[in-house]
Amino acid sequence: MNEDLNGIEALAYELRKFPPSLEFVANALVSDESLYDEAAANHEKFWERQARELVDWNEPWTKVCEWDLPYSEWFVGGKLNVSFNCLDRHVLAGKGNKVAFFWEGEPGDTRVVTYSELLDEVQKFANVLKSLGVEKGDRVNIYLPMIPEAAVAMLACARIGAAHSVVFGGFSSQALADRINDAEAKVLITADGGWRRGEVFPLKSQADDAVKLTSTIEHVVVVKRGGNDVEMQEGRDHWYHEIMETASAVCPAEPMDSEQLLFLLYTSGTTGKPKGIMHTTGGYLTHVAYTFKYVFDHKPETDIFWCTADVGWVTGHSYIVYGPLANGATQVMYEGVPNFPGTDRMWSIIEKYRATIFYTAPTAIRTYMKWGTQEPAKHDLSSLRLMGSVGEPINPEAWMWYHEHIGGGKCPIVDTWWQTETGGIMIAPLPGVTVTKPGSATRPLPGVGAELVDELGRSVTKGGGYLTLTKPWPGMLRGIWGDQNRYRETYWSRFSDRYFAGDGAKLDDEGYLWLLGRVDDVMNVSGHRISTTEVESALVSHPSVAEAAVVGASDATTGQAIIAYVTLRGGLEVDEKVLRDHVAQEIGAIAKPKTIYFTPDLPKTRSGKIMRRLLRDVAEGRNLGDTTTLADASVVNELQRRAVETPTED
Ligand code: 7RM
């Protein structure tokens, strides 16, 4: 056990190792240390080569990187158009008939969109935006379901230099209004409704309520998808299919400055109003094109890529829209939930489209585990050759389940650590190079500088610490919209000369990084700093447990006591004591939960991250704080009711 109290104690130890198969290595884009060596030798030269090889520029840059902490500019003076890079250049290269999206609607309807069709649609919609008064530098809000028009709208903005701000369709009208107001958006693009769990959910009525709370929206464009009734306000609201009919077909891609604002994406901080994370053009595109190509070992001629994220999150921006399209990828896009009409929907889609690369989140994987192995077993998943994970630490048991039951034991898993703020993947294996360990994101990618430090900012080379980023990178955020003080405060003040991501991690004997979750989630039990992730992983490693959330609640004797909320795998039961002993055996007696609550569901954000803050409120008997970002509020209300009824035992 690591007794260093400065950092976060690293307790559990995972010994399994998975090298890529010889066959995978033989066909991989990278199968040796060359990229790492090249980047280590010269950081800027490395990124400059990526920018030159992966992106088409209208004008060359004069400087690779201008770094004045905490601000960076990349490919300074260079000009390019993101939409041209994602569309025109592939069509010009004769790939117009290549499929960009195999789209599958939740009810089972389908659409196939080729690169030339996507280009036609984007040009027309760019002209629509112009006709509605949108100019370079303006902000456009997008509030859509998972339909191809979401990508069209984003790329049309990029084509004319307007910044988009996509708001996830599951957010409320108030959340949408806050984001419109902060960005002062001129135009809102929405739909009548979308499909979710067999029903149409309304978007336009939510959008109407939001627009009432704002003063900047001049026009609303409405895509017809749900077929539900909507009210259209004369002069302000326009049906997408009507306004597209008369739009002119040609809208040349205008070269943009490399530092032109490409998008804002709002992310909630721990307190206060959401932050509009700013991303710009040349550096961002280079970063996502590079990471998509090499982390997913992407072969444009043969791969079918499926990222299950919503376009409302950064993962959808970077790995459904910009990264894959810049690489000319063919993708699957799915509109709905994973359990409609049955709990095997995802596996039936993989089988149907012969997807080769699958990118999803640990929360989804743990849900699939709960539904049972018989679901993937119904389908032929042999087309898969590589799988990814993003969004949270992946527990070793979930990793193993994914590996065996989805990947058939043969697919490398790339556990990708990154944030809205980083723009693209930062820490992940290169699948043809890295020997993976279940639960470890392994090491920083070539071109990324990451270091663990202790409370005082001193380098930690083994054990737990704070994850920091030491070098500027092309996809890094350029700030927080309208609040640059908060930018400096949030990311650059904890440690003087580096970016602090807010995550804890540990380094093992071989230099592998293990993410331990947000540092606000770290518990302090009798002076031991214990990560919630490790206790959760120990719980999930018990065969009856599907998912676990662990929090520290104040305790008179130990400072904090470990409280666990556990969801069991379908049909199974287990005694609380058995689980407590299991944790003691996996980690040590110090990590034994004081109380375990069994619950059918855990409180999660709409993007699937467990909200431990709320569970802490429940465990400490407080009124719940802000619950607006919660996907399903009834889950925590029920836990709260039971916390009052169940006396804490020991
Ligand atoms: C891409 C995304 C960022 C936070 C980040 C972490 C957590 C994301 C991993 C992970 C462990 C991973 N952007 N996180 N990926 N933790 N392993 N592979 O999720 O802005 O929404 O969230 O998510 O805490 O700081 S995000």
Short mmCIF file of all heavy atoms in Angstrom, two decimals, residues 447-498:
data_model
loop_
_atom_site.label_atom_id
_atom_site.label_comp_id
_atom_site.label_asym_id
_atom_site.label_seq_id
_atom_site.Cartn_x
_atom_site.Cartn_y
_atom_site.Cartn_z
N GLY A 447 2.76 13.72 -28.63
CA GLY A 447 2.35 15.12 -28.78
C GLY A 447 1.63 15.68 -27.56
O GLY A 447 1.22 16.83 -27.57
N VAL A 448 1.47 14.83 -26.54
CA VAL A 448 0.77 15.28 -25.33
C VAL A 448 1.73 15.19 -24.14
O VAL A 448 2.39 14.17 -23.96
CB VAL A 448 -0.47 14.40 -25.06
CG1 VAL A 448 -1.08 14.71 -23.70
CG2 VAL A 448 -1.50 14.58 -26.17
N GLY A 449 1.79 16.25 -23.37
CA GLY A 449 2.62 16.24 -22.16
C GLY A 449 1.73 16.15 -20.94
O GLY A 449 0.92 17.04 -20.69
N ALA A 450 1.83 15.05 -20.19
CA ALA A 450 1.02 14.89 -18.98
C ALA A 450 1.95 14.50 -17.84
O ALA A 450 2.93 13.79 -18.04
CB ALA A 450 -0.05 13.84 -19.19
N GLU A 451 1.62 14.97 -16.65
CA GLU A 451 2.46 14.65 -15.50
C GLU A 451 1.58 14.60 -14.25
O GLU A 451 0.68 15.41 -14.09
CB GLU A 451 3.53 15.73 -15.34
CG GLU A 451 4.66 15.34 -14.42
CD GLU A 451 5.77 16.41 -14.40
OE1 GLU A 451 5.45 17.60 -14.25
OE2 GLU A 451 6.93 16.01 -14.50
N LEU A 452 1.88 13.66 -13.36
CA LEU A 452 1.20 13.64 -12.06
C LEU A 452 2.02 14.48 -11.10
O LEU A 452 3.24 14.41 -11.09
CB LEU A 452 1.14 12.22 -11.50
CG LEU A 452 0.14 11.24 -12.07
CD1 LEU A 452 -0.02 10.05 -11.11
CD2 LEU A 452 -1.20 11.89 -12.33
N VAL A 453 1.31 15.25 -10.27
CA VAL A 453 2.01 16.04 -9.26
C VAL A 453 1.32 15.88 -7.90
O VAL A 453 0.16 15.47 -7.84
CB VAL A 453 2.07 17.54 -9.63
CG1 VAL A 453 2.90 17.75 -10.89
CG2 VAL A 453 0.68 18.13 -9.79
N ASP A 454 2.04 16.22 -6.84
CA ASP A 454 1.44 16.19 -5.51
C ASP A 454 0.83 17.56 -5.20
O ASP A 454 0.85 18.47 -6.05
CB ASP A 454 2.46 15.74 -4.46
CG ASP A 454 3.60 16.73 -4.28
OD1 ASP A 454 3.50 17.88 -4.76
OD2 ASP A 454 4.60 16.36 -3.65
N GLU A 455 0.33 17.73 -3.98
CA GLU A 455 -0.33 18.99 -3.58
C GLU A 455 0.52 20.22 -3.89
O GLU A 455 0.01 21.28 -4.20
CB GLU A 455 -0.55 19.01 -2.06
CG GLU A 455 -1.28 17.84 -1.50
CD GLU A 455 -2.75 18.12 -1.33
OE1 GLU A 455 -3.07 18.88 -0.42
OE2 GLU A 455 -3.56 17.58 -2.11
N LEU A 456 1.84 20.05 -3.77
CA LEU A 456 2.74 21.20 -3.94
C LEU A 456 3.25 21.33 -5.37
O LEU A 456 4.14 22.14 -5.64
CB LEU A 456 3.91 21.08 -2.97
CG LEU A 456 3.52 21.08 -1.50
CD1 LEU A 456 4.73 20.81 -0.60
CD2 LEU A 456 2.86 22.41 -1.11
N GLY A 457 2.72 20.50 -6.26
CA GLY A 457 3.12 20.61 -7.65
C GLY A 457 4.43 19.90 -7.97
O GLY A 457 4.99 20.09 -9.04
N ARG A 458 4.88 19.04 -7.02
CA ARG A 458 6.11 18.29 -7.28
C ARG A 458 5.77 17.02 -8.05
O ARG A 458 4.76 16.37 -7.77
CB ARG A 458 6.80 17.91 -5.97
CG ARG A 458 7.34 19.10 -5.22
CD ARG A 458 7.84 18.69 -3.86
NE ARG A 458 6.78 18.02 -3.08
CZ ARG A 458 6.76 17.95 -1.76
NH1 ARG A 458 7.73 18.46 -1.05
NH2 ARG A 458 5.77 17.33 -1.14
N SER A 459 6.63 16.66 -8.99
CA SER A 459 6.37 15.53 -9.85
C SER A 459 6.25 14.22 -9.05
O SER A 459 7.02 13.97 -8.14
CB SER A 459 7.50 15.43 -10.87
OG SER A 459 7.39 14.24 -11.56
N VAL A 460 5.26 13.42 -9.39
CA VAL A 460 5.05 12.11 -8.77
C VAL A 460 5.33 11.07 -9.85
O VAL A 460 4.77 11.16 -10.95
CB VAL A 460 3.59 11.98 -8.29
CG1 VAL A 460 3.26 10.54 -7.92
CG2 VAL A 460 3.31 12.93 -7.14
N THR A 461 6.20 10.13 -9.57
CA THR A 461 6.52 9.15 -10.61
C THR A 461 5.94 7.77 -10.31
O THR A 461 5.96 6.88 -11.14
CB THR A 461 8.05 9.01 -10.80
OG1 THR A 461 8.63 8.80 -9.52
CG2 THR A 461 8.63 10.25 -11.43
N LYS A 462 5.41 7.60 -9.10
CA LYS A 462 4.75 6.35 -8.76
C LYS A 462 3.70 6.62 -7.69
O LYS A 462 3.93 7.44 -6.80
CB LYS A 462 5.78 5.36 -8.23
CG LYS A 462 5.25 3.97 -8.25
CD LYS A 462 6.24 2.94 -7.76
CE LYS A 462 5.43 1.70 -7.49
NZ LYS A 462 5.61 1.09 -6.24
N GLY A 463 2.54 6.00 -7.82
CA GLY A 463 1.47 6.20 -6.86
C GLY A 463 0.51 7.29 -7.31
O GLY A 463 0.48 7.65 -8.48
N GLY A 464 -0.26 7.83 -6.36
CA GLY A 464 -1.35 8.73 -6.73
C GLY A 464 -0.95 10.19 -6.80
O GLY A 464 0.01 10.63 -6.16
N GLY A 465 -1.70 10.96 -7.57
CA GLY A 465 -1.44 12.40 -7.67
C GLY A 465 -2.49 13.09 -8.51
O GLY A 465 -3.50 12.50 -8.88
N TYR A 466 -2.22 14.37 -8.81
CA TYR A 466 -3.13 15.17 -9.63
C TYR A 466 -2.65 15.13 -11.07
O TYR A 466 -1.47 15.36 -11.33
CB TYR A 466 -3.14 16.61 -9.12
CG TYR A 466 -3.59 16.73 -7.69
CD1 TYR A 466 -2.67 16.68 -6.63
CD2 TYR A 466 -4.93 16.88 -7.39
CE1 TYR A 466 -3.09 16.77 -5.32
CE2 TYR A 466 -5.36 16.97 -6.07
CZ TYR A 466 -4.44 16.92 -5.04
OH TYR A 466 -4.87 17.01 -3.75
N LEU A 467 -3.58 14.90 -11.99
CA LEU A 467 -3.20 14.84 -13.40
C LEU A 467 -3.10 16.25 -13.97
O LEU A 467 -4.06 17.01 -13.94
CB LEU A 467 -4.24 14.02 -14.17
CG LEU A 467 -4.01 13.94 -15.68
CD1 LEU A 467 -2.69 13.25 -15.99
CD2 LEU A 467 -5.16 13.21 -16.35
N THR A 468 -1.93 16.59 -14.49
CA THR A 468 -1.75 17.91 -15.11
C THR A 468 -1.22 17.75 -16.53
O THR A 468 -0.63 16.73 -16.88
CB THR A 468 -0.75 18.77 -14.30
OG1 THR A 468 0.55 18.15 -14.35
CG2 THR A 468 -1.20 18.93 -12.86
N LEU A 469 -1.45 18.79 -17.32
CA LEU A 469 -0.95 18.80 -18.70
C LEU A 469 0.12 19.87 -18.79
O LEU A 469 -0.09 21.01 -18.37
CB LEU A 469 -2.09 19.04 -19.68
CG LEU A 469 -3.20 17.97 -19.60
CD1 LEU A 469 -4.41 18.36 -20.43
CD2 LEU A 469 -2.68 16.60 -20.01
N THR A 470 1.27 19.47 -19.31
CA THR A 470 2.45 20.32 -19.17
C THR A 470 2.79 21.13 -20.41
O THR A 470 3.59 22.06 -20.33
CB THR A 470 3.67 19.45 -18.83
OG1 THR A 470 3.79 18.44 -19.84
CG2 THR A 470 3.50 18.80 -17.47
N LYS A 471 2.23 20.74 -21.54
CA LYS A 471 2.56 21.46 -22.78
C LYS A 471 1.28 21.90 -23.48
O LYS A 471 0.28 21.18 -23.41
CB LYS A 471 3.29 20.51 -23.75
CG LYS A 471 4.66 20.11 -23.32
CD LYS A 471 5.34 19.35 -24.45
CE LYS A 471 6.70 18.87 -24.04
NZ LYS A 471 6.80 17.42 -24.02
N PRO A 472 1.29 23.02 -24.17
CA PRO A 472 0.11 23.38 -24.96
C PRO A 472 -0.11 22.35 -26.06
O PRO A 472 0.84 21.71 -26.51
CB PRO A 472 0.48 24.74 -25.56
CG PRO A 472 1.97 24.77 -25.57
CD PRO A 472 2.42 23.94 -24.39
N TRP A 473 -1.35 22.15 -26.47
CA TRP A 473 -1.66 21.20 -27.54
C TRP A 473 -2.67 21.86 -28.47
O TRP A 473 -3.43 22.75 -28.05
CB TRP A 473 -2.17 19.88 -26.95
CG TRP A 473 -3.48 19.98 -26.22
CD1 TRP A 473 -4.70 19.64 -26.70
CD2 TRP A 473 -3.70 20.43 -24.87
NE1 TRP A 473 -5.67 19.86 -25.74
CE2 TRP A 473 -5.09 20.36 -24.62
CE3 TRP A 473 -2.86 20.93 -23.86
CZ2 TRP A 473 -5.65 20.74 -23.40
CZ3 TRP A 473 -3.43 21.30 -22.64
CH2 TRP A 473 -4.81 21.21 -22.42
N PRO A 474 -2.71 21.44 -29.75
CA PRO A 474 -3.48 22.21 -30.74
C PRO A 474 -4.98 22.29 -30.45
O PRO A 474 -5.60 23.30 -30.76
CB PRO A 474 -3.24 21.46 -32.05
CG PRO A 474 -2.21 20.44 -31.80
CD PRO A 474 -1.91 20.36 -30.35
N GLY A 475 -5.57 21.24 -29.86
CA GLY A 475 -7.02 21.24 -29.64
C GLY A 475 -7.42 21.85 -28.31
O GLY A 475 -8.59 21.79 -27.94
N MET A 476 -6.48 22.43 -27.59
CA MET A 476 -6.83 22.94 -26.26
C MET A 476 -7.85 24.08 -26.35
O MET A 476 -7.92 24.80 -27.33
CB MET A 476 -5.59 23.42 -25.50
CG MET A 476 -4.93 24.67 -26.03
SD MET A 476 -3.39 25.04 -25.14
CE MET A 476 -4.01 26.02 -23.77
N LEU A 477 -8.67 24.19 -25.31
CA LEU A 477 -9.63 25.29 -25.27
C LEU A 477 -8.89 26.62 -25.34
O LEU A 477 -7.78 26.76 -24.86
CB LEU A 477 -10.51 25.20 -24.02
CG LEU A 477 -9.93 25.60 -22.64
CD1 LEU A 477 -11.05 25.68 -21.64
CD2 LEU A 477 -8.86 24.66 -22.16
N ARG A 478 -9.56 27.59 -25.95
CA ARG A 478 -8.97 28.91 -26.04
C ARG A 478 -9.51 29.83 -24.95
O ARG A 478 -9.17 31.00 -24.91
CB ARG A 478 -9.23 29.52 -27.42
CG ARG A 478 -8.68 28.69 -28.59
CD ARG A 478 -7.17 28.48 -28.48
NE ARG A 478 -6.58 28.03 -29.75
CZ ARG A 478 -6.23 26.79 -30.03
NH1 ARG A 478 -6.42 25.83 -29.13
NH2 ARG A 478 -5.70 26.47 -31.20
N GLY A 479 -10.37 29.29 -24.09
CA GLY A 479 -10.87 30.09 -22.99
C GLY A 479 -12.32 29.77 -22.70
O GLY A 479 -12.88 28.82 -23.27
N ILE A 480 -12.92 30.55 -21.79
CA ILE A 480 -14.34 30.44 -21.48
C ILE A 480 -15.02 31.68 -22.05
O ILE A 480 -14.59 32.81 -21.75
CB ILE A 480 -14.57 30.34 -19.96
CG1 ILE A 480 -13.94 29.05 -19.42
CG2 ILE A 480 -16.06 30.39 -19.62
CD1 ILE A 480 -14.01 28.91 -17.91
N TRP A 481 -16.04 31.48 -22.85
CA TRP A 481 -16.73 32.57 -23.53
C TRP A 481 -17.20 33.61 -22.51
O TRP A 481 -17.95 33.29 -21.58
CB TRP A 481 -17.92 31.99 -24.30
CG TRP A 481 -18.75 32.98 -25.06
CD1 TRP A 481 -19.98 33.44 -24.72
CD2 TRP A 481 -18.40 33.60 -26.30
NE1 TRP A 481 -20.42 34.31 -25.68
CE2 TRP A 481 -19.48 34.43 -26.66
CE3 TRP A 481 -17.28 33.54 -27.15
CZ2 TRP A 481 -19.49 35.19 -27.83
CZ3 TRP A 481 -17.29 34.30 -28.32
CH2 TRP A 481 -18.37 35.11 -28.64
N GLY A 482 -16.70 34.82 -22.70
CA GLY A 482 -17.15 35.93 -21.86
C GLY A 482 -16.61 35.94 -20.44
O GLY A 482 -17.03 36.76 -19.63
N ASP A 483 -15.71 35.03 -20.11
CA ASP A 483 -15.22 35.01 -18.73
C ASP A 483 -13.80 34.47 -18.65
O ASP A 483 -13.56 33.37 -18.15
CB ASP A 483 -16.17 34.17 -17.86
CG ASP A 483 -15.99 34.47 -16.38
OD1 ASP A 483 -15.01 35.15 -16.02
OD2 ASP A 483 -16.83 34.01 -15.58
N GLN A 484 -12.86 35.28 -19.15
CA GLN A 484 -11.48 34.78 -19.20
C GLN A 484 -10.84 34.71 -17.80
O GLN A 484 -9.89 33.95 -17.59
CB GLN A 484 -10.63 35.60 -20.18
CG GLN A 484 -11.08 35.43 -21.65
CD GLN A 484 -10.95 34.00 -22.21
OE1 GLN A 484 -11.13 33.02 -21.50
NE2 GLN A 484 -10.64 33.89 -23.50
N ASN A 485 -11.39 35.45 -16.82
CA ASN A 485 -10.85 35.29 -15.46
C ASN A 485 -11.15 33.90 -14.93
O ASN A 485 -10.32 33.26 -14.28
CB ASN A 485 -11.47 36.32 -14.51
CG ASN A 485 -10.91 37.69 -14.77
OD1 ASN A 485 -9.77 37.82 -15.25
ND2 ASN A 485 -11.70 38.72 -14.49
N ARG A 486 -12.39 33.46 -15.21
CA ARG A 486 -12.78 32.13 -14.76
C ARG A 486 -11.92 31.06 -15.44
O ARG A 486 -11.61 30.02 -14.84
CB ARG A 486 -14.27 31.91 -15.08
CG ARG A 486 -14.84 30.68 -14.41
CD ARG A 486 -16.34 30.62 -14.58
NE ARG A 486 -16.89 29.39 -14.04
CZ ARG A 486 -18.07 28.89 -14.36
NH1 ARG A 486 -18.84 29.52 -15.22
NH2 ARG A 486 -18.50 27.77 -13.82
N TYR A 487 -11.54 31.32 -16.69
CA TYR A 487 -10.66 30.39 -17.42
C TYR A 487 -9.34 30.21 -16.67
O TYR A 487 -8.92 29.10 -16.37
CB TYR A 487 -10.43 30.94 -18.84
CG TYR A 487 -9.37 30.22 -19.63
CD1 TYR A 487 -9.46 28.84 -19.85
CD2 TYR A 487 -8.28 30.91 -20.16
CE1 TYR A 487 -8.49 28.18 -20.59
CE2 TYR A 487 -7.31 30.25 -20.90
CZ TYR A 487 -7.41 28.89 -21.10
OH TYR A 487 -6.45 28.23 -21.82
N ARG A 488 -8.72 31.34 -16.34
CA ARG A 488 -7.44 31.29 -15.64
C ARG A 488 -7.59 30.63 -14.26
O ARG A 488 -6.81 29.76 -13.89
CB ARG A 488 -6.93 32.73 -15.49
CG ARG A 488 -5.46 32.87 -15.20
CD ARG A 488 -5.08 34.34 -15.11
NE ARG A 488 -4.79 34.95 -16.42
CZ ARG A 488 -3.59 34.90 -17.00
NH1 ARG A 488 -2.58 34.29 -16.41
NH2 ARG A 488 -3.39 35.48 -18.16
N GLU A 489 -8.63 31.05 -13.56
CA GLU A 489 -8.93 30.54 -12.22
C GLU A 489 -9.13 29.02 -12.22
O GLU A 489 -8.56 28.29 -11.41
CB GLU A 489 -10.27 31.13 -11.74
CG GLU A 489 -10.18 32.24 -10.73
CD GLU A 489 -9.25 31.92 -9.60
OE1 GLU A 489 -9.60 31.03 -8.80
OE2 GLU A 489 -8.17 32.55 -9.51
N THR A 490 -10.00 28.55 -13.13
CA THR A 490 -10.42 27.15 -13.11
C THR A 490 -9.30 26.20 -13.50
O THR A 490 -9.15 25.15 -12.88
CB THR A 490 -11.60 26.93 -14.09
OG1 THR A 490 -12.59 27.91 -13.81
CG2 THR A 490 -12.21 25.55 -13.93
N TYR A 491 -8.54 26.56 -14.51
CA TYR A 491 -7.62 25.57 -15.07
C TYR A 491 -6.14 25.86 -14.82
O TYR A 491 -5.32 24.96 -14.93
CB TYR A 491 -7.83 25.44 -16.58
CG TYR A 491 -9.27 25.13 -16.94
CD1 TYR A 491 -10.10 26.11 -17.48
CD2 TYR A 491 -9.79 23.85 -16.73
CE1 TYR A 491 -11.41 25.82 -17.80
CE2 TYR A 491 -11.10 23.56 -17.05
CZ TYR A 491 -11.91 24.54 -17.59
OH TYR A 491 -13.21 24.26 -17.90
N TRP A 492 -5.79 27.11 -14.54
CA TRP A 492 -4.38 27.47 -14.54
C TRP A 492 -3.88 28.02 -13.21
O TRP A 492 -2.77 28.52 -13.13
CB TRP A 492 -4.09 28.47 -15.67
CG TRP A 492 -4.45 27.93 -17.01
CD1 TRP A 492 -5.65 28.07 -17.65
CD2 TRP A 492 -3.64 27.11 -17.86
NE1 TRP A 492 -5.62 27.42 -18.86
CE2 TRP A 492 -4.40 26.81 -19.02
CE3 TRP A 492 -2.33 26.61 -17.77
CZ2 TRP A 492 -3.91 26.03 -20.06
CZ3 TRP A 492 -1.86 25.83 -18.83
CH2 TRP A 492 -2.64 25.55 -19.95
N SER A 493 -4.71 27.97 -12.15
CA SER A 493 -4.28 28.59 -10.91
C SER A 493 -3.84 27.58 -9.85
O SER A 493 -3.02 27.90 -8.99
CB SER A 493 -5.40 29.48 -10.34
OG SER A 493 -6.50 28.66 -10.00
N ARG A 494 -4.31 26.36 -9.93
CA ARG A 494 -3.98 25.37 -8.90
C ARG A 494 -2.48 25.08 -8.90
O ARG A 494 -1.85 24.98 -7.86
CB ARG A 494 -4.80 24.10 -9.12
CG ARG A 494 -4.56 22.97 -8.14
CD ARG A 494 -5.13 23.31 -6.76
NE ARG A 494 -4.92 22.22 -5.81
CZ ARG A 494 -3.76 21.99 -5.19
NH1 ARG A 494 -2.70 22.76 -5.44
NH2 ARG A 494 -3.65 21.00 -4.33
N PHE A 495 -1.92 24.93 -10.08
CA PHE A 495 -0.47 24.73 -10.23
C PHE A 495 0.03 25.79 -11.20
O PHE A 495 -0.61 26.06 -12.21
CB PHE A 495 -0.18 23.32 -10.76
CG PHE A 495 -0.74 22.25 -9.86
CD1 PHE A 495 -1.86 21.53 -10.24
CD2 PHE A 495 -0.16 21.99 -8.62
CE1 PHE A 495 -2.39 20.56 -9.39
CE2 PHE A 495 -0.70 21.03 -7.77
CZ PHE A 495 -1.82 20.30 -8.16
N SER A 496 1.18 26.37 -10.88
CA SER A 496 1.53 27.63 -11.54
C SER A 496 1.79 27.55 -13.04
O SER A 496 1.39 28.42 -13.77
CB SER A 496 2.72 28.25 -10.83
OG SER A 496 3.82 27.39 -10.96
N ASP A 497 2.44 26.51 -13.51
CA ASP A 497 2.89 26.56 -14.91
C ASP A 497 2.24 25.49 -15.77
O ASP A 497 2.80 25.07 -16.76
CB ASP A 497 4.41 26.39 -14.95
CG ASP A 497 4.81 25.10 -14.24
OD1 ASP A 497 3.96 24.53 -13.51
OD2 ASP A 497 5.95 24.66 -14.42
N ARG A 498 1.08 25.02 -15.34
CA ARG A 498 0.49 23.90 -16.06
C ARG A 498 -1.03 23.88 -15.93
O ARG A 498 -1.60 24.54 -15.07
CB ARG A 498 1.06 22.59 -15.54
CG ARG A 498 0.92 22.50 -14.01
CD ARG A 498 1.62 21.29 -13.43
NE ARG A 498 3.06 21.35 -13.52
CZ ARG A 498 3.81 20.31 -13.83
NH1 ARG A 498 3.26 19.16 -14.11
NH2 ARG A 498 5.12 20.41 -13.87
#
